[in-house]
Amino acid sequence: LPGSTQSRSSAASDVFKSQLQYYPGARLDVAEIDPLVVRVAHDFFQVPEDPRLQISVADGRVFLRRARKSYDVIIMDAYGTSPYGLYLPYHLTTIEFFKIAREHLKDGGCLVYNTVEVDRRTKRDRVQDLMTTLGKVFEFTYALSLIPI
């Protein structure tokens, strides 16, 4: 993933460490809403202090809306928790948010969205819901499963 990447994701993600290791030209902007996650990422998950990695404590949507640059890749890996398990923050799954993301992608850039497949409480297929909404903003959408179906 050479070039610039913006992510609304857990700051402890191995994705960032891998990008820094394998793509020396990569520049990463990360938005993490929880300052404790940022501290834990550095203290326990060996996320390095690196000038190519800028972690901002901010909501991903607000961060992206205020961004003044475009990205090759925007990675979404945002979850909240409830008594029913993980959920996707609603404001990061709307047509309006996806339009903001599209406006911040370079030509040929892509939005990557990580999600679990089924909402445990409602039994709805999250992937299909996301694909439907994404299809209203992006010409091409693809779903990949890391777990054999």
Side-chain angles (χ1 to χ4, degrees):
L1 299 172
S4 59
T5 302
Q6 192 283 327
S7 179
R8 171 36 210 120
S9 180
S10 171
S13 175
D14 283 336
V15 171
F16 312 127
K17 293 185 284 187
S18 296
Q19 287 179 339
L20 293 171
Q21 179 180 353
Y22 295 113
Y23 301 100
R27 300 288 179 260
L28 309 171
D29 292 337
V30 177
E32 171 53 61
I33 199 166
D34 188 343
L36 181 59
V37 170
V38 176
R39 193 169 80 214
V40 167
H42 290 296
D43 293 349
F44 297 101
F45 290 92
Q46 295 76 45
V47 171
E49 296 288 345
D50 188 305
R52 299 173 297 150
L53 174 63
Q54 300 299 315
I55 301 175
S56 299
V57 176
D59 174 80
R61 182 173 175 148
V62 173
F63 176 90
L64 197 54
R65 191 175 61 227
R66 292 179 179 167
R68 300 209 188 285
K69 60 182 174 178
S70 296
Y71 297 96
D72 296 302
V73 180
I74 297 174
I75 300 171
M76 298 300 300
D77 192 18
Y79 291 95
T81 57
S82 78
Y84 301 104
L86 297 175
Y87 68 89
L88 301 174
Y90 175 74
H91 69 295
L92 299 176
T93 64
T94 64
I95 291 171
E96 293 78 16
F97 172 73
F98 294 138
K99 285 180 179 179
I100 293 168
R102 186 184 63 202
E103 291 168 4
H104 285 83
L105 284 170
K106 292 180 181 177
D107 287 343
C110 66
L111 172 67
V112 177
Y113 208 114
N114 180 40
T115 184
V116 293
E117 293 182 31
V118 177
D119 184 302
R120 286 178 40 203
R121 183 177 59 86
T122 65
K123 306 297 185 214
R124 287 185 59 89
D125 183 334
R126 287 183 177 148
V127 175
Q128 188 56 53
D129 289 346
L130 276 174
M131 295 292 286
T132 298
T133 307
L134 283 163
K136 295 177 180 179
V137 178
F138 292 94
E139 182 178 1
F140 301 105
T141 60
Y142 304 93
L144 307 172
S145 177
L146 297 179
I147 300 170
I149 300 174

